[in-house]
Amino acid sequence: MSAALQRRDVVKALLKDRGDILVVAGLGSSAWDCTAAGDHPLTFPLWGAMGSACMIGLGLALAQPKRRVLVVTGDGEMLMGLGSLATIGVQRSGNLAVVVLDNERYGETGMQKTHTAYGVDLAATARACGFVKARVIRKGTEVASMRSDVHHGRGPLFFQVKVRPDSPPLALPPRAGAHLSHRFREALLGRSAATE
Ligand SMILES: Cc1ncc(C[n+]2csc(CCOP(=O)(O)OP(=O)(O)O)c2C)c(N)n1
């Protein structure tokens, strides 16, 4: 395990000056990381639905082609929805980026090793599925160009960021699903459209 990056630093850098980008946060640690960077109405954190972060992101990207969409999720969550990479590759959504915070563990449930700890290469999988760029990020010096790609580059983009298997303090987003989806719709569509 050669991970040197700290997950909170990576997510904070990704979401700095985030503009109007739409963010889907995978369940557990990735959602806490996004909240620690600043709770935001245009962040939709999953409290469950393991394996569906990328598909929610793809749905948003297709429905909102003028907006950029970022999925921030864990390697366990990504592994559970691996087939979504093939669908994104087929759809070729230019406005979609996926960032996997790869601690090689199922952090929330006791730090059991995931398949990436045994060599499964998520970036290579994304590349084989047709993502236009798919890279493993290991160094702090690579984070700025990843951020630039996420905010400005043509997708679909995939970054597998090797992070330390640590557990920073909890930073919980609002819990109620109805509230989260309503505030997201209102921030995206405006008050009247959101209630239609
Ligand atoms: C379908 C389903 N299976 C199992 C769980 C239990 N669970 C919640 S979080 C989690 C681990 C998530 O691991 P990962 O995505 O790698 O996140 P991290 O290590 O960053 O916490 C698991 C297994 C769940 N919520 N849903």
Side-chain angles (χ1 to χ4, degrees):
M1 178 90 192
S2 57
L5 291 170
Q6 213 286 327
R7 54 188 308 142
R8 289 274 159 97
D9 295 342
V10 172
V11 174
K12 205 170 156 194
L14 272 175
L15 297 183
K16 188 171 185 295
D17 301 326
R18 58 182 278 168
D20 63 1
I21 193 168
L22 312 178
V23 177
V24 177
L27 84 172
S29 313
S30 311
W32 321 153
D33 296 336
C34 290
T35 304
D39 185 36
H40 196 288
L42 289 177
T43 296
F44 189 75
L46 299 188
W47 278 92
M50 189 169 175
S52 61
C54 277
M55 285 293 89
I56 293 174
L58 175 62
L60 275 172
L62 291 173
Q64 296 288 328
K66 295 201 172 113
R67 303 293 285 266
R68 298 195 69 88
V69 179
L70 167 63
V71 175
V72 181
T73 193
D75 48 305
E77 202 281 335
M78 184 73 253
L79 283 159
M80 191 167 271
L82 208 55
S84 59
L85 295 180
T87 304
I88 292 168
V90 169
Q91 291 289 336
R92 296 203 175 267
S93 305
N95 57 337
L96 179 62
V98 177
V99 171
V100 174
L101 301 166
D102 181 12
N103 60 1
E104 304 186 354
R105 301 287 189 282
Y106 294 103
E108 283 302 303
T109 48
M111 288 287 175
Q112 303 89 349
K113 285 185 179 178
T114 67
H115 307 50
T116 61
Y118 300 95
V120 170
D121 188 337
L122 293 174
T125 308
R127 203 174 305 121
C129 288
F131 278 64
V132 298
K133 186 186 273 191
R135 291 185 50 205
V136 180
I137 303 292
R138 295 179 190 278
K139 296 185 197 141
T141 50
E142 299 171 295
V143 172
S145 78
M146 171 175 70
R147 185 195 177 281
S148 174
D149 279 340
V150 163
H151 287 263
H152 310 291
R154 174 144 190 88
L157 302 164
F158 187 94
F159 297 98
Q160 179 181 3
V161 185
K162 290 287 185 181
V163 295
R164 288 181 220 152
D166 54 8
S167 302
L170 288 177
L172 304 181
R175 192 179 286 272
H179 168 69
L180 287 166
S181 65
H182 183 76
R183 80 168 185 170
F184 189 93
R185 283 175 60 79
E186 193 170 290
L188 176 59
L189 303 170
R191 181 163 289 186
S192 53
T195 51
E196 273 171 15

